Amino acid sequence: MEFISPSLNYAQLAPILIVLAGALAGVLIEAFAPRASRYSSQLFVSIFSLVASFAALMRVRTQTSVDAAMGSVAFDGVGVLLQGSILIIAVLSIFLIADQENFTALAASVPGSEEERDAVQSDLRVTEVFPLTLFAVAGMLLFPVATDLITLFVALEVLSLPLYLMAGLSRRRRLASQEAALKYFLLGAFSSAFFLLGIAYLFGYSGSITLAGIQASVIGGAGNDVFLLLGIAFISIGLLFKVSAVPFHAWSPDVYQGAPTAITGFMAAATKVAAFGAILRIFYVAIANAEWQWRPAMVIIAIITMVFGSVVAITQRDVKRMLAYSSIAHAGFLLAGVIALSKTGLEASIFYLFAYGVATVGAFGIVTLVRDASGEVGDLNRWSGLGKRSPLLASAFAFFLLAFAGIPLTSGFIGKFSIFSAAYESGSTSILIAGVLSSAVAAFFYIRVIVLMFFKDPVEDGTSVVIPSALTTITITVSAVLTLILGIYPAPLIDFIATTATFIR
């Protein structure tokens, strides 16, 4: 397809601009609104911005195959699908974030200080988390539709910087939370440096920072192949860090465990959609014709990521760390769709991203409800007998675990079947075998947790299940219903993806 003449195309940029406007409105509320009204105002602005952004996206969804922002953004079918997925996941996540039990009373205070104790006694709320979330969402919306490397880098930083801050806002285990935020920030900055190096090498190779310009240079073969190889390697490192692929996964378990659980769910779901959206655009558009240079390395990374995430998850005794290694394994499965380099692989990846994201938010929503006097209970041994104390909650968590395992009648089964089918069609037999075996290993530790909840006696250790707020209930219910519907009757979404998922080349 050919580009329409470069223009701003504000209609296509509206979803991003609306979320940015909501974030800026949140900053003004923090600065000028009375403290008593900040929480309700921020919650309203956040939900309104996300819903309005989704409505704007639906209004222009048929006006695809154009560029916007002077050619820096592509508004195509893939962009619509990924932005829609991010906004739906963000709405579900904001409901969890609205439960202020997860967040510290005063973010800038020293853990254990008198200042922090006074803030807790005064029942202060960290409402800054709402505009930070909107800034992150704006970056996520821009990331998968950016068509030049500078815009990609800006989007990467816009989505990352708020997450670094939010990871350190946990109400309890403050030192662990701040340690997680620092690790995430330092390793994230390191990966951003690699990303910039990749931009420099690709510019040196092609003389262009646009994906179309790089693609033309790859097809023409006029540049230095060493620069191309180094550029692909360094940009891949920056992107693979965001999706927790091995060996760039080291931050993931510690950050997932230390960050507030609502932020962990948001990170695990929405960030993965945005990052894989950018990976798909770069690999399918810019460097598809250099497949012989990057495919062998990506196959190895995908296999190692699947196997490592599934095997190490077995040894985990903390539910959030277990879900972190599960997320690593799912990143390996999703890389199979990238490597397939086909329309089938593209469609399977988009479906998988949405299905996994929704189930992930729901699962972490349940984790926020299992608590004791000191806060959330992460030790899996203390989840023993949860099915007898709270059958409905345990059943919902078991359902999400079965979806992660890819059991039939869940969205996870459809997602894995689609992604493995794409790998088979592309001739990636090694990935198919590794994926099936890794899924079998993963099913073991998921089912182990289910057995622990339903077939072990409850432990009298002070653990309880709190009554969820209305917003948390909505998140868990909607996530479970979507996971079930996409497992039983996925055809409408699959057909919609098949007819919509196209790139501007």
Side-chain angles (χ1 to χ4, degrees), residues 346-471:
L346 177 64
E347 294 166 5
S349 298
I350 294 172
F351 180 90
Y352 198 116
L353 284 168
F354 178 69
Y356 170 76
V358 169
T360 297
V361 174
F364 279 104
I366 290 174
V367 173
T368 65
L369 302 177
V370 183
R371 303 178 189 170
D372 61 12
S374 61
E376 294 171 4
V377 175
D379 185 358
L380 279 171
N381 292 325
R382 298 180 63 188
W383 284 50
S384 178
L386 185 67
K388 298 178 181 177
R389 284 181 291 177
S390 181
L392 187 60
L393 191 79
S395 298
F397 192 65
F399 181 65
F400 289 129
L401 293 180
L402 293 175
F404 294 149
I407 301 301
L409 301 183
T410 67
S411 61
F413 172 76
I414 304 299
K416 284 189 176 181
F417 180 82
S418 301
I419 213 95
F420 291 156
S421 297
Y424 175 76
E425 291 176 9
S426 68
S428 302
T429 308
S430 57
I431 288 183
L432 176 62
I433 295 173
V436 172
L437 294 177
S438 298
S439 295
V441 173
F444 168 77
F445 65 79
Y446 292 132
I447 293 173
R448 184 192 65 182
V449 176
I450 295 173
V451 170
L452 182 73
M453 291 191 297
F454 287 96
F455 299 99
K456 296 291 182 68
D457 294 328
V459 178
E460 298 299 331
D461 58 355
T463 303
S464 62
V465 177
V466 301
I467 298 175
S469 66
L471 295 177

Side-chain angles (χ1 to χ4, degrees), residues 23-49:
L24 294 174
V27 173
L28 294 177
I29 290 171
E30 285 299 316
F32 301 109
R35 185 178 295 277
S37 64
R38 286 181 191 171
Y39 172 78
S40 57
S41 299
Q42 293 283 26
L43 179 58
F44 172 78
V45 168
S46 299
I47 295 176
F48 177 81
S49 300

Side-chain angles (χ1 to χ4, degrees), residues 215-229:
Q215 181 190 41
S217 295
V218 170
I219 294 173
N224 187 324
D225 285 345
V226 174
F227 282 4
L228 176 61
L229 183 60

